[in-house]
Amino acid sequence: MKKHSIVIAGGGSTFTPGIVLMLLENLDRLPIRQIKFYDNDKERQDIVADACEIIMKEKAPEITFVKTTDPKEAFTDVDFVMAHIRVGKYKMREMDEKIPLKYDVVGQETCGPGGISYGMRSIGGVLEIVDYMEKYSPDAWMLNYSNPAAIVAEATRKLRPKAKVLNICDMPIAIENLMVKILGLKSRKDMTVRYYGLNHFGWWTSILDKEGKDLMPELKAHVKEHGYSVNFDEAGQHVDNSWRDTFKKVKDVYALDPDTLPNTYLKYYFYPQDEVKKADPEYTRANEVMDGREKHVFGECKKIAANQSTEGSTLEIDEHASYIVDLARAIAYNTGERMLLIVENKGAIANFDETAMVEVPCIVGSNGPEPITQGEIPRFQKGLMEQQVAVEKLVVEAWEEGSRQKLWQALTLSRTVPNGHVAKELMEELIAANKTYWPEME
């Protein structure tokens, strides 16, 4: 098998060490000759890269390792760009979450005003990486899992329509892993799923095992009582309280449509007041991450660099990120892997906007994804999705045109925002907070 060259864009991310460990664990499935890190924050990237270099020397010394802030060096001679950038880092995520909460509106990094704010920052950064890839390695594919995936996917569709970009999200994978625990299966690959929606906004309509047995009744019975909650300690998963609450809340989301099983993020759209009520406006998820995962990962990286050894390290393989290897293999070796991807609708959902970026199962080969048609969808989901797609498209138009008007419309249209007055006040505060990251808004 051909050995590949990969650049991880967002080399300073707290997720990067777990992804490197995962790639090294899967070298028999996806052989690698070179891994590069690219980030525009040298200091942050150095912390992660210096540790990852030692990890690679110990586990796969034959792989060439490069860390750089130079786009030409990073994007020349690569087969895959794995992108997970966070423009503005956790400090701006904190703003995305805390500013809406001042108005009793959901403060969340990918949903509502926070997601719109983050999207307006991410578009330029992601397009820049697409342009570097096309300039220096025009045959490469970009596997993009930068958030907010829905807005980023719409931006790449509209503004870089010919680019070889695949937009993916790990949330359905994480939920399917919980389903596996509920069902007592070994792997989510023991299930064949049908699913439709938008990113962070979708529903499972069918889940079969490999023999064709319907697994939905057993899952629905569990979800009706417990949501997606399982005994996380027994399952060997370290899950903080905010995620445990999210998995429990699925019970209420499911009740709105017991014919399907929902994505966890729908709670923000169906029960926004509940989320605001239990949020701490002084200490949001961003603070949890900065005090938790960020401190842990950076601390471990610094220890590895100081000891020049991984002995005693508690850095973990990012198991659920193995879908990235599945996707890269599908492209490299034409495997025909069945995967959930965010793709242009083009009839995959028969009674829905052709140009919407929808999340549906696809068969993936060397030419990219072929969406599996889901037929017509019910009025309830269709109405919700049309409203949300309009928000996403307005955000991209607002970014492209520097339009305050369209941004105001997007915020007003979001199910999480109560009215146009609140949307306007929120918008002005978000514009001020994002001055150095957003285009000039007129």
Side-chain angles (χ1 to χ4, degrees):
M1 286 193 288
K2 176 190 168 183
K3 291 190 172 185
H4 295 91
S5 174
I6 292 167
V7 58
I8 298 177
S13 165
T14 55
F15 290 103
T16 297
I19 285 168
V20 167
L21 287 166
M22 182 273 302
L23 289 171
L24 297 181
E25 188 78 5
N26 286 276
L27 288 174
D28 57 328
R29 300 173 60 228
L30 185 74
I32 298 170
R33 63 182 170 85
Q34 176 172 246
I35 293 178
K36 302 183 187 187
F37 283 11
Y38 171 76
D39 205 302
N40 58 9
D41 184 335
K42 182 181 187 302
E43 194 182 334
R44 188 180 170 96
Q45 176 167 268
D46 282 349
I47 295 168
V48 176
D50 291 349
C52 287
E53 187 167 16
I54 292 159
I55 291 169
M56 278 191 253
K57 271 183 189 155
E58 289 183 3
K59 290 182 177 286
E62 71 283 1
I63 294 176
T64 303
F65 177 67
V66 176
K67 61 172 182 178
T68 183
T69 56
D70 173 32
K72 185 176 183 183
E73 186 180 14
F75 292 89
T76 299
D77 178 33
V78 295
D79 302 299
F80 294 105
V81 176
M82 297 182 175
H84 59 165
I85 64 168
R86 181 180 289 280
V87 179
K89 300 189 268 290
Y90 288 120
K91 198 70 215 155
M92 288 309 299
R93 174 177 177 174
E94 192 179 2
M95 297 291 99
D96 294 341
E97 293 170 355
K98 289 183 176 177
I99 290 171
L101 285 171
K102 286 160 64 174
Y103 300 87
D104 290 329
V105 172
V106 165
Q108 210 280 330
E109 67 158 341
T110 64
C111 303
I116 290 170
S117 172
Y118 185 14
M120 290 282 288
R121 289 198 305 277
S122 295
I123 292 169
V126 168
L127 294 182
E128 184 176 73
I129 289 168
V130 172
D131 292 345
Y132 289 148
M133 177 183 82
E134 295 202 312
K135 181 176 181 181
Y136 297 115
S137 288
D139 294 328
W141 283 84
M142 180 164 157
L143 315 183
N144 178 57
Y145 39 108
S146 305
N147 269 325
I151 290 170
V152 167
E154 170 60 17
T156 55
R157 179 201 72 79
K158 186 171 193 285
L159 304 174
R160 297 293 184 275
K162 293 184 178 166
K164 291 160 82 172
V165 180
L166 294 176
N167 291 289
I168 47 181
C169 175
D170 63 359
M171 196 63 231
I173 308 291
I175 295 169
E176 286 176 11
N177 284 340
L178 292 175
M179 291 174 175
V180 163
K181 303 288 181 198
I182 293 164
L183 295 164
L185 299 174
K186 286 185 179 165
S187 161
R188 65 182 182 80
K189 294 197 174 183
D190 295 333
M191 307 187 302
T192 302
V193 309
R194 287 180 72 80
Y195 178 98
Y196 66 80
L198 315 170
N199 182 242
H200 288 182
F201 204 100
W203 296 263
W204 282 266
T205 57
S206 165
I207 301 175
L208 305 175
D209 70 11
K210 289 301 176 195
E211 278 70 53
K213 180 190 167 195
D214 185 1
L215 301 174
M216 289 287 272
E218 189 179 343
L219 282 169
K220 286 176 178 178
H222 181 97
V223 171
K224 185 179 179 183
E225 298 298 322
H226 311 288
Y228 291 134
S229 290
V230 296
N231 187 329
F232 292 105
D233 301 323
E234 274 181 26
Q237 296 181 35
H238 310 294
V239 178
D240 56 39
N241 288 333
S242 61
W243 273 113
R244 288 177 191 239
D245 286 346
T246 292
F247 296 139
K248 279 183 198 156
K249 188 66 177 173
V250 168
K251 183 169 74 166
D252 292 341
V253 178
Y254 166 75
L256 272 158
D257 180 26
D259 291 335
T260 60
L261 289 168
N263 193 300
T264 51
Y265 280 83
L266 288 163
K267 71 171 186 168
Y268 295 110
Y269 301 98
F270 295 168
Y271 301 103
Q273 291 80 11
D274 295 5
E275 296 307 309
V276 171
K277 206 179 294 177
K278 68 184 179 203
D280 178 351
E282 301 304 318
Y283 194 85
T284 62
R285 178 75 186 145
N287 299 113
E288 269 184 29
V289 173
M290 286 187 276
D291 291 342
R293 188 177 67 236
E294 188 170 51
K295 275 187 182 164
H296 171 250
V297 170
F298 282 8
E300 287 299 301
C301 285
K302 285 172 183 173
K303 264 195 282 183
I304 291 169
N307 299 336
Q308 290 292 293
S309 165
T310 61
E311 198 176 335
S313 168
T314 58
L315 289 178
E316 294 179 333
I317 293 173
D318 193 348
E319 291 287 3
H320 71 271
S322 60
Y323 73 104
I324 299 163
V325 167
D326 292 336
L327 186 56
R329 288 188 80 248
I331 296 291
Y333 309 123
N334 200 37
T335 63
E337 183 86 14
R338 183 177 172 134
M339 302 187 74
L340 281 183
L341 295 178
I342 305 160
V343 293
E344 192 168 3
N345 184 29
K346 290 183 174 172
I349 299 171
N351 56 337
F352 200 62
D353 184 340
E354 291 280 301
T355 67
M357 292 301 283
V358 297
E359 196 164 42
V360 292
C362 301
I363 303 298
V364 189
S366 298
N367 292 324
E370 292 181 33
I372 297 170
T373 56
Q374 302 301 302
E376 293 196 348
I377 60 174
R379 190 181 306 281
F380 177 64
Q381 282 87 353
K382 183 171 182 281
L384 289 162
M385 285 167 58
E386 282 172 341
Q387 185 173 6
Q388 185 60 18
V389 160
V391 172
E392 290 158 11
K393 286 183 176 294
L394 282 165
V395 171
V396 173
E397 288 168 17
W399 183 89
E400 185 186 14
E401 299 164 24
S403 169
R404 239 182 176 88
Q405 194 72 38
K406 286 193 171 174
L407 186 59
W408 185 17
Q409 290 172 351
L411 285 159
T412 303
L413 202 53
S414 172
R415 277 185 58 83
T416 64
V417 178
N419 59 55
H421 293 304
V422 173
K424 185 87 158 68
E425 289 179 50
L426 254 171
M427 178 180 73
E428 295 304 337
E429 195 162 344
L430 290 171
I431 288 172
N434 283 281
K435 230 173 185 50
T436 53
Y437 299 103
W438 286 7
E440 191 75 35
M441 305 304 290
E442 293 174 7

